[in-house]
Amino acid sequence: MRQIVLDTETTGLDPQAGHRIIEIGCIELLNRKMTQNRFHVYLNPEREIDAGAAEVHGLNYEFLIDKPRFADIVDDFLAFIRGTELIIHNAAFDVAFLDRELALLADGRGTISDYCAICDTLAIARKNHPGQRNSLDALCRRYGIDNSRRELHGALLDAEILAEVYLAMTGGQMAMSLDADSELATVYTGLESARPNGARRRDRPRLRVIRCSEEELRVHEARLESIAEASFGNCVWKQPS
């Protein structure tokens, strides 16, 4: 499973008012583990930056004037995210800007959702923590994630922090279905049905059973308790059978 945690910085708050993306940062997750495969670029927005936005991310037009334009990097960017699930905090904001950038190219590239699925971590946080602050900083405090490097917003750093928040907030669990019609069940069924009548090999050695120690049991139970707490009682391994 390949997911991309994404963040952007912009010249202002409204893409329909002409504001543009000035930084894109992406972190790759493979099977819920961060890799060193990343996409990071600063962009020339071809316009000035609002003072309020500059106070948030600390970027100015003088720094960006010699950077590539969105049109220069769009092919590489779309290739990086194609076929993945984008993990974004307050996805509506970033997606609106990305869709606007694609529309400005006027070459029929469509929208971001044409290339990948989108997961909004703000929606997850609001569901898990109703009535509470769910900014990235607030979630870092809630889940014990170090964000001391975050003096100013930066797309790559914020994407890295969001990746840690997302993994903690979803309790380290992967949603899966073991129904007979599920893709996963089909994979396992296929392994058995590759043999005549689905028969098991009779000549394979007897499996060795290694039992866990008391300490390993204690650590396991503590881990399940932390997952259950983070997922508000939705730890699948503690559900009654």
Side-chain angles (χ1 to χ4, degrees):
M1 181 175 63
R2 185 166 183 259
Q3 298 167 295
I4 301 297
V5 186
L6 177 144
D7 188 60
T8 65
E9 301 297 342
T10 64
T11 62
L13 297 177
D14 186 0
Q16 298 304 318
H19 286 292
R20 306 287 300 275
I21 295 175
I22 57 176
E23 185 184 6
I24 300 173
C26 298
I27 302 289
E28 181 186 63
L29 298 180
L30 276 182
N31 297 323
R32 296 182 60 82
K33 294 182 179 179
M34 273 189 278
T35 76
Q36 294 302 311
N37 190 18
R38 299 171 179 203
F39 183 94
H40 181 228
V41 63
Y42 292 105
L43 298 172
N44 179 354
E46 302 179 274
R47 58 156 291 155
E48 290 294 335
I49 299 170
D50 280 7
E55 289 179 3
V56 171
H57 49 60
L59 298 174
N60 57 58
Y61 188 57
E62 288 71 23
F63 171 75
L64 299 168
I65 196 167
D66 63 344
K67 302 300 185 288
R69 293 166 174 79
F70 185 82
D72 300 323
I73 60 90
V74 64
D75 290 331
D76 290 339
F77 172 64
L78 293 178
F80 189 81
I81 67 169
R82 189 187 300 272
T84 69
E85 179 183 45
L86 287 188
I87 310 295
I88 310 174
H89 199 66
N90 191 16
F93 179 87
D94 299 84
V95 169
F97 270 93
L98 290 167
D99 285 349
R100 180 60 177 167
E101 293 287 353
L102 291 173
L104 289 173
L105 298 177
D107 57 3
R109 290 179 185 264
T111 64
I112 287 298
S113 60
D114 294 325
Y115 299 89
C116 51
I118 297 166
C119 171
D120 187 355
T121 52
L122 179 58
I124 296 174
R126 285 173 172 168
K127 180 180 179 180
N128 289 350
H129 311 288
Q132 300 183 51
R133 289 178 56 82
N134 288 304
S135 67
L136 192 55
D137 286 335
L139 291 170
C140 284
R141 290 191 294 272
R142 188 169 300 143
Y143 289 100
I145 293 168
D146 181 14
N147 65 341
S148 57
R149 296 172 295 162
R150 196 181 187 235
E151 295 180 4
L152 291 172
H153 288 236
L156 190 63
L157 175 59
D158 284 2
E160 185 173 333
I161 292 172
L162 178 58
E164 295 185 50
V165 167
Y166 168 74
L167 293 173
M169 187 165 55
T170 52
Q173 300 180 75
M174 294 174 60
M176 61 175 66
S177 171
L178 296 179
D179 294 336
D181 293 332
S182 73
E183 181 180 354
L184 185 63
T186 301
V187 170
Y188 284 112
T189 302
L191 291 174
E192 291 297 327
S193 62
R195 305 188 185 101
N197 301 320
R200 296 181 179 179
R201 286 180 51 187
R202 297 181 180 277
D203 59 344
R204 68 183 181 185
R206 189 180 184 88
L207 293 177
R208 182 185 176 193
V209 178
I210 302 176
R211 302 191 182 280
C212 59
S213 66
E214 291 295 326
E215 175 62 17
E216 288 169 332
L217 274 175
R218 186 191 64 77
V219 172
H220 175 69
E221 287 299 324
R223 178 58 177 162
L224 293 186
E225 288 296 334
S226 67
I227 292 174
E229 182 179 354
S231 61
F232 291 83
N234 292 317
C235 175
V236 295
W237 295 285
K238 290 184 73 66
Q239 298 289 335
S241 57

